[in-house]
Amino acid sequence: MAETGILTVDDLLTLAPRRYEDRSRFMTLAQLACRPAGEKGTLLVEIRSSRLLRTRRRGLTITRATVTDSSGEEEVVWFNQPYLVRHLTPGRRLILFGGMSGADGRPGCIQNPEMELLPKDESGEASVHMGRVVPVYPRTAGFSSRQLRRLLHQALAAGAGHAPDPLPVELLRRRDLPERAAALRALHFPTGDVDPEELVACRTPAQRRLIYEELLLLLVALHLKRQKRRRGARSWTCLPAAGTDADLKSFLPFSLTPGQEKAWQIIAGDLRGATPMARLLQGDVACGKTAIAAMALLLAVKSGTQAALMVPTEILARQHHTRLERLLAPAGMRVGLLLGGRPTDASRRLKAELAGLEPCLVIGTHALIQKDVRFGNLGLVVIDEQHRFGVAQRMRLAGKGRHPDLLVMTATPIPRSLALTRYGDLDLVEIRDRPPGRATVRTEILPRSEAATAWEAVRSAATAGRQAFIVYPLVDESKSSDLAAACAAYADLGAGALAGLRLGLVHGRLPARERQATMAAFMAGRIQVLVATTVIEVGLDVEDATVLVVEHAERFGLAQLHQLRGRIGRGSRPSTCYLLHGDRLGDESRQRLAVLERTFDGFELAREDLRLRGAGELLGVRQHGSMGLRLADIVRDEEILQEAREDCLTLSAAAMPEELAQAARRRWGQPLGLGSGRESEVGVGPGHDHP
Ligand code: ADP
Ligand code: MG
């Protein structure tokens, strides 16, 4: 069961039921038929007959069965589950969970219900699966819900879960939580007196206790990780002469905003302190995080150590490189650039330099974490747009130095609860304001059929000497149909709506040279309209861009759209973002897009996004599940998280109880790179992402 994260009995014991069924009282078929269509109930029925139908539409199969109970009979259908039919033999009993189709009083049938077949002779296990509130599990590692229920019942009966409770008794008493073994039993096999509403809301004492435990252990593990890092002495000392604030600021073409100033004070404090920094810098798109990063990098290099900045795309690496080089050349500082691809003379020379002890600054993509890149004297690591990297990659870069300082920057803010659980091993600092004189960005949501409005805006911007982006969703750059769509649209626009304008196209599959040339032409204003895939999503900074059109906006996440929208309104001219969507837009998508129309505040947006989509998806598919919470849900359980946080603080202020620390290591040590001792090579999340 490794791929599902179930490796131990304890993993099995903390497998969360998807829902519960009250099998002490079944609904009858007659009762279900009186309910509004779609309202679900749990039924105990017997098969009268069944058959498999294949429709003319290729691939569609329908399994039909007639079922009965004491109240009458109904038709049941399942779509595309042809294998069911061989189990549906006359006389067989089964439990259904589903609702009636057919609205407005028209006769319906029970459509696509979940089902559990009962064995021909139920007597042996009746008390496990019947006559009580039973858990229904997600299919896990090929085991059906029924098999899992049986396994869990056996495990609990054999005394599993009776290991000493890792939570201190005082804590349980103070938070009024049951002890572990009892909670596990009640999670899987709730007794008759359980409150059904609490059960559905995951708020029974047993559920609360286990959720609390999971979150507390996570917070404790993160605390241990921070502590471990603080114990490692940093390898470099900040030289006071080299890094006065005035000196560092003299390189910037502007003065810091109050928010930047505050963030810098905190970060500078870390850099000048005795132990390595590990910080997450949060701020809305275009709030000016790069300036802070530049000052940190400069401070490190001027103090005689090496500093590295890792970014997710080549385009962004080049942009940072050009800017920092321009800033730092007067100081006589060289800035290296390391990208993927075949080694060149220049990249070989750069690698040789990094392997030495000379202070230097390097900017790069994932190329920086390849095996053949060694640092002789790495003192500071900055990671920009962290959402594109996995924890493992972050650690791999840091692992190339001896306890280097680490500064991680978000693309757009993420909610505190998420930052706490996901990046809780990092200290948090935020920039809440933006540079002065910024234009407003208006956001307009349009159905595809009204795209002409957007093209008109693109044309008039270009005519007035401004620039525009048109973005196509290419979730998977290797999917050629998507790519073809973007290329075709590019050709169409050039010949039609945007004829006569200078257009350019970039996507991840263009040869690097070509992509680079197009980007450079756009940055220099020679190209007026850049048609692009999401390769432009992160970081790109072009002051003259005032219009952004996003095609199929409904396919993007909120945070990503906000990040895209951050490509415009960077200068002082009012800008407009057009979000085009298909003509049939679902309610949920409409709601999501409406949030963007309403607000431009990334912090508020992040909260909405978390609420609408849940924690797993917020950071994109790639990171889904990597957080690895089994029972807790940080949206639903924010309050419990808060309690756990308070308790973790109290506990860590004294001495962390050893059993608790051990349990935290057992549960989270591996994914957090805590327990194994080989910190540079372990981590959660698949993380990857090359442009
Ligand atoms: P992000 O936080 O999204 O990485 P950037 O660091 O790219 O934002 O900054 C966005 C733009 O704002 C850049 O063009 C940068 O030069 C400019 N900028 C940053 N800080 C200031 C400031 N204090 N005053 C004026 N402009 C600033
Ligand atoms: Mg940035």
Side-chain angles (χ1 to χ4, degrees):
M1 293 205 216
E3 80 277 15
T4 48
I6 299 210
L7 293 166
T8 64
V9 174
D10 206 64
D11 293 339
L12 180 67
L13 290 174
T14 50
L15 177 68
R18 194 156 52 79
R19 58 184 181 82
Y20 295 87
E21 273 179 4
D22 185 354
R23 294 187 184 171
S24 60
R25 285 190 329 242
F26 291 100
M27 192 181 282
T28 63
L29 288 167
Q31 282 167 333
L32 185 72
C34 297
R35 294 290 176 101
E39 201 177 301
K40 291 178 177 178
T42 306
L43 307 118
L44 175 61
V45 298
E46 190 176 307
I47 297 286
R48 164 113 352 132
S49 65
S50 69
R51 61 213 174 276
L52 183 65
L53 311 168
R54 291 186 193 278
T55 59
R56 246 167 295 156
R57 231 171 76 207
R58 237 167 55 101
L60 181 67
T61 62
I62 300 175
T63 307
R64 279 192 96 87
T66 307
V67 299
T68 63
D69 67 6
S70 58
S71 74
E73 83 176 34
E74 280 299 342
E75 289 290 291
V76 187
V77 301
W78 287 272
F79 297 114
N80 288 337
Q81 300 181 58
Y83 48 85
L84 289 182
V85 74
R86 70 192 154 88
H87 300 292
L88 304 178
T89 48
R92 186 82 191 256
R93 294 196 314 151
L94 66 160
I95 289 170
L96 296 178
F97 176 71
M100 300 294 288
S101 69
D104 313 326
R106 267 180 289 125
C109 58
I110 305 176
Q111 229 175 54
N112 274 330
E114 290 179 34
M115 73 153 178
E116 186 174 315
L117 289 164
L118 301 185
K120 277 153 205 128
D121 174 18
E122 169 74 6
S123 55
E125 287 189 318
S127 60
V128 178
H129 303 289
M130 295 294 278
R132 64 187 312 159
V133 175
V134 301
V136 178
Y137 300 96
R139 194 170 184 84
T140 303
F143 286 94
S144 70
S145 182
R146 187 178 178 88
Q147 289 167 321
L148 289 164
R149 192 182 306 129
R150 183 186 302 128
L151 265 172
L152 273 154
H153 196 267
Q154 286 165 353
L156 287 165
H162 272 284
D165 195 325
L167 301 189
V169 190
E170 313 85 68
L171 213 55
L172 296 182
R173 212 168 293 141
R174 184 145 50 81
R175 294 290 180 194
D176 194 20
L177 297 169
E179 51 99 28
R180 187 161 204 267
L184 285 169
R185 248 178 289 119
L187 173 72
H188 297 289
F189 299 96
T191 47
D193 54 4
V194 71
D195 178 337
E197 274 173 30
E198 281 186 358
L199 198 60
V200 170
C202 287
R203 283 295 175 272
T204 65
Q207 289 165 317
R208 278 196 6 230
R209 136 89 213 204
L210 293 164
I211 290 166
Y212 171 88
E213 172 189 317
E214 183 169 48
L215 291 170
L216 182 67
L217 291 185
L218 173 61
L219 296 174
V220 168
L222 291 166
H223 163 79
L224 294 174
K225 187 162 179 195
R226 280 198 304 268
Q227 207 178 42
K228 182 176 163 190
R229 185 163 31 219
R230 281 199 210 101
R231 274 200 295 268
R234 66 133 61 96
S235 53
W236 63 288
T237 14
C238 171
L239 303 179
T244 65
D245 281 359
D247 178 30
L248 296 169
K249 284 176 192 162
S250 70
F251 289 91
L252 298 176
F254 41 69
S255 47
L256 297 182
T257 66
Q260 283 171 316
E261 183 65 47
K262 231 163 83 192
W264 171 249
Q265 287 311 324
I266 290 168
I267 289 166
D270 289 350
L271 292 172
R272 292 178 177 131
T275 53
M277 162 170 83
R279 226 173 241 290
L280 178 69
L281 172 58
Q282 287 232 67
D284 205 350
V285 55
C287 71
K289 294 180 286 289
T290 314
I292 302 302
M295 287 172 69
L297 292 163
L298 191 56
L299 175 60
V301 178
K302 288 190 137 220
S303 298
T305 184
Q306 296 173 333
L309 168 61
M310 182 160 76
V311 303
T313 69
E314 229 177 272
I315 291 175
L316 192 55
R318 285 180 191 282
Q319 176 182 291
H320 278 321
H321 180 250
T322 314
R323 299 227 163 141
L324 287 173
E325 205 167 42
R326 201 183 305 143
L327 287 180
L328 304 182
M333 196 176 296
R334 268 193 349 92
V335 182
L337 177 66
L338 193 64
L339 304 172
R342 237 175 279 126
T344 59
D345 283 348
S347 73
R348 273 191 216 100
R349 265 200 310 278
L350 179 59
K351 283 179 203 166
E353 188 185 338
L354 296 177
L357 294 173
E358 282 301 299
C360 63
L361 172 53
V362 63
I363 296 168
T365 56
H366 294 70
L368 284 172
I369 50 177
Q370 301 313 308
K371 274 215 182 61
D372 65 335
V373 180
R374 292 198 183 74
F375 286 87
N377 182 21
L378 182 62
L380 170 65
V381 166
V382 180
I383 294 177
D384 195 10
E385 315 284 347
Q386 54 70 35
H387 69 297
R388 295 289 205 97
F389 295 103
V391 178
Q393 292 169 315
R394 194 165 91 200
M395 290 203 236
R396 203 173 310 148
L397 185 54
K400 289 180 185 276
R402 282 186 20 246
H403 309 294
D405 287 284
L406 177 65
L407 178 64
V408 177
M409 305 197 284
T410 58
T412 54
I414 54 176
R416 246 169 191 281
S417 54
L418 195 59
L420 195 67
T421 44
R422 211 188 147 71
Y423 303 106
D425 59 325
L426 304 174
D427 300 313
L428 193 63
V429 57
E430 289 175 353
I431 299 178
R432 298 299 291 234
D433 55 9
R434 345 170 137 257
R438 282 290 168 73
T440 52
V441 175
R442 199 165 53 84
T443 298
E444 218 173 287
I445 298 169
L446 291 177
R448 193 79 220 343
S449 50
E450 291 171 34
T453 311
W455 307 139
E456 225 13 79
V458 170
R459 179 177 285 287
S460 58
T463 314
R466 318 267 175 274
Q467 294 175 285
F469 293 105
I470 300 171
V471 179
Y472 283 83
L474 269 195
V475 181
D476 179 4
E477 299 248 356
S478 63
K479 226 174 101 189
S480 43
S481 57
D482 275 1
L483 192 57
C487 295
Y490 170 67
D492 285 352
L493 284 172
L498 302 180
L501 302 184
R502 298 190 301 276
L503 269 59
L505 174 69
V506 288
H507 56 73
R509 288 228 265 162
L510 281 182
R513 287 184 84 82
E514 200 174 319
R515 198 164 61 211
Q516 240 165 274
T518 307
M519 285 309 300
F522 184 69
M523 303 268 212
R526 290 194 302 280
I527 286 177
Q528 296 167 297
V529 182
L530 188 67
V531 180
T533 63
T534 39
V535 292
I536 66 140
E537 172 201 341
V538 292
L540 204 67
D541 190 29
V542 181
E543 269 209 12
D544 273 335
T546 58
V547 177
L548 167 78
V549 184
V550 183
E551 288 267 15
H552 302 288
E554 73 275 17
R555 293 199 206 159
F556 292 94
L558 261 186
Q560 203 179 10
L561 286 171
H562 184 59
Q563 177 67 16
L564 279 168
R565 186 164 66 164
R567 294 315 110 218
I568 55 173
R570 295 195 152 231
S572 54
R573 292 183 200 88
S575 303
T576 316
C577 163
Y578 296 93
L579 303 177
L580 303 184
H581 61 79
D583 287 326
R584 284 175 42 192
L585 188 64
D587 274 350
E588 198 190 318
S589 305
R590 184 175 302 281
Q591 247 183 24
R592 223 147 38 81
L593 295 182
V595 178
L596 284 161
E597 207 170 25
R598 209 164 53 231
T599 176
F600 198 72
D601 176 349
F603 286 88
E604 187 184 331
L605 240 138
R607 272 194 307 278
E608 277 295 297
D609 205 13
L610 182 61
R611 199 179 57 76
L612 289 171
R613 289 205 299 165
E617 275 190 58
L618 185 63
L619 295 166
V621 186
R622 248 172 249 117
Q623 298 187 349
H624 183 85
S626 62
M627 197 154 67
L629 290 169
R630 303 166 147 287
L631 295 157
D633 170 325
I634 60 168
V635 179
R636 184 194 62 205
D637 302 327
E638 205 177 342
E639 243 169 87
I640 301 181
L641 176 63
Q642 198 47 42
E643 290 175 3
R645 197 167 111 91
E646 285 162 21
D647 294 341
C648 181
L649 277 173
T650 317
L651 288 167
S652 59
M656 193 59 77
E658 191 45 38
E659 303 83 72
L660 191 60
Q662 264 174 25
R665 275 199 202 93
R666 264 199 311 277
R667 174 71 174 82
W668 294 103
Q670 211 271 332
L672 288 175
L674 232 193
S676 75
R678 287 166 60 215
E679 186 149 325
S680 59
E681 283 172 38
V682 289
V684 269
H688 98 292
D689 189 281
H690 216 68

PDB file of all heavy atoms in Angstrom, residues 290 384-385 539, ligand 2:
ATOM      1  N   THR A 290      11.907  41.322  -4.975  1.00  0.00           N
ATOM      2  CA  THR A 290      13.229  41.172  -5.570  1.00  0.00           C
ATOM      3  C   THR A 290      14.253  42.137  -4.964  1.00  0.00           C
ATOM      4  O   THR A 290      15.413  41.776  -4.770  1.00  0.00           O
ATOM      5  CB  THR A 290      13.157  41.409  -7.095  1.00  0.00           C
ATOM      6  OG1 THR A 290      12.048  40.689  -7.606  1.00  0.00           O
ATOM      7  CG2 THR A 290      14.415  40.943  -7.773  1.00  0.00           C
ATOM      8  N   ASP A 384      13.145  31.996  -5.363  1.00  0.00           N
ATOM      9  CA  ASP A 384      12.051  32.859  -5.791  1.00  0.00           C
ATOM     10  C   ASP A 384      10.921  31.989  -6.318  1.00  0.00           C
ATOM     11  O   ASP A 384      11.159  30.924  -6.875  1.00  0.00           O
ATOM     12  CB  ASP A 384      12.550  33.800  -6.900  1.00  0.00           C
ATOM     13  CG  ASP A 384      11.583  34.956  -7.137  1.00  0.00           C
ATOM     14  OD1 ASP A 384      10.651  35.128  -6.324  1.00  0.00           O
ATOM     15  OD2 ASP A 384      11.765  35.690  -8.119  1.00  0.00           O
ATOM     16  N   GLU A 385       9.692  32.433  -6.119  1.00  0.00           N
ATOM     17  CA  GLU A 385       8.530  31.716  -6.636  1.00  0.00           C
ATOM     18  C   GLU A 385       8.550  30.273  -6.141  1.00  0.00           C
ATOM     19  O   GLU A 385       8.498  29.323  -6.919  1.00  0.00           O
ATOM     20  CB  GLU A 385       8.541  31.728  -8.170  1.00  0.00           C
ATOM     21  CG  GLU A 385       8.855  33.075  -8.790  1.00  0.00           C
ATOM     22  CD  GLU A 385       7.685  34.048  -8.726  1.00  0.00           C
ATOM     23  OE1 GLU A 385       6.564  33.616  -8.420  1.00  0.00           O
ATOM     24  OE2 GLU A 385       7.911  35.247  -8.959  1.00  0.00           O
ATOM     25  N   GLY A 539       6.916  36.321 -12.292  1.00  0.00           N
ATOM     26  CA  GLY A 539       7.980  37.300 -12.150  1.00  0.00           C
ATOM     27  C   GLY A 539       8.217  38.312 -13.239  1.00  0.00           C
ATOM     28  O   GLY A 539       8.781  39.358 -12.986  1.00  0.00           O
TER      29      GLY A 539
HETATM   30 MG    MG B   2       9.168  38.279  -8.183  1.00  0.00          MG
END
